[in-house]
Amino acid sequence: MSKQTINAKTRTTTGKTAAKRLRKAGSIPAVVYNDKGEATSIEVNEVEFNKVWRTITPTTSINLVIDGKENLALIKDTEYNIRTDKVLHADFFVPAADEKLVTKIKIHYTGTPAGVLKGGFKKERNNQIKIKACIADLPETIVADISKINVSEALRVKDLQLSDKVEILSDENLPLVTVSPAR
């Protein structure tokens, strides 16, 4: 998947009044945090932000262009109005390129286990694992095929096929999906 891009401009005014003015003009006030903890106030186009924000996962890195300078960033937090479903504020995080990030990522399962077709019962035990990787190597999603699991077998963390640049921090024997026999 190609990198999604959000264009941003540095903003000099802050506070409630300035934020309201920005929202009225079709922009969202936002803050970018770097790996040193320094914050920069920016503004992003509301339509452009929503197109990206509604289609990504928490581990999707985006191309954040601030005043023409490109940065690999993650959307860390958003504040939105639940009545109007409008984003009021966003927080971005731009880590150092070589910094390893520790995060939890959801696993999506595909297929029907062979054991279920033979009368067994599928049980999803865990659908999240902890990983460590640089921002450029973070997987957007992890998809695991569970169609080969028979009765009394399990898909474990060690069975996942991930890039060698991604380090799995969860216990490798942790069962993700099991198929138990019918009683």
Side-chain angles (χ1 to χ4, degrees):
M1 184 175 193
S2 63
K3 286 271 180 254
Q4 307 243 16
T5 302
I6 295 178
N7 293 302
K9 293 185 280 190
T10 307
R11 63 185 164 106
T12 53
T13 57
T14 57
K16 276 186 184 180
T17 310
K20 285 181 183 178
R21 210 174 301 128
L22 270 177
R23 289 185 199 108
K24 204 170 195 175
S27 292
I28 299 170
V31 177
V32 177
Y33 297 96
N34 65 13
D35 57 323
K36 297 174 190 84
E38 299 164 343
T40 306
S41 297
I42 61 169
E43 64 179 86
V44 294
N45 180 284
E46 181 179 16
V47 174
E48 190 179 337
F49 179 81
N50 281 324
K51 278 184 188 173
V52 173
W53 180 60
R54 297 194 187 279
T55 60
I56 64 170
T57 67
T59 55
T60 303
S61 57
I62 57 165
N63 190 19
L64 182 65
V65 182
I66 304 170
D67 298 329
K69 185 178 178 244
E70 293 188 14
N71 303 285
L72 262 182
L74 296 171
I75 298 175
K76 290 310 276 180
D77 193 23
T78 53
E79 179 186 336
Y80 64 97
N81 185 326
I82 59 173
R83 282 190 273 161
T84 61
D85 201 31
K86 283 189 165 221
V87 177
L88 302 173
H89 186 273
D91 286 343
F92 295 92
F93 176 60
V94 178
D98 60 343
E99 180 183 356
K100 299 253 185 187
L101 303 173
V102 175
T103 186
K104 287 186 177 180
I105 187 166
K106 272 186 109 167
I107 302 168
H108 300 280
Y109 302 112
T110 61
T112 302
V116 169
L117 300 174
K118 297 173 185 170
F121 295 100
K122 177 181 94 170
K123 172 86 171 146
E124 287 187 24
R125 302 207 173 269
N126 297 293
N127 68 347
Q128 249 185 7
I129 61 169
K130 198 179 219 183
I131 61 170
K132 183 178 187 178
C134 293
I135 187 168
D137 302 324
L138 278 176
E140 284 187 40
T141 58
I142 297 176
V143 179
D145 181 20
I146 58 174
S147 59
K148 293 184 174 110
I149 303 173
N150 278 308
V151 177
S152 300
E153 291 182 352
L155 173 75
R156 299 188 184 283
V157 171
K158 65 183 173 188
D159 301 327
L160 295 175
Q161 303 294 316
L162 296 178
S163 162
D164 56 344
K165 296 178 181 177
V166 177
E167 181 184 343
I168 299 174
L169 300 177
S170 297
D171 178 17
E172 68 176 19
N173 290 315
L174 182 73
L176 301 171
V177 176
T178 59
V179 177
S180 54
R183 293 182 187 201

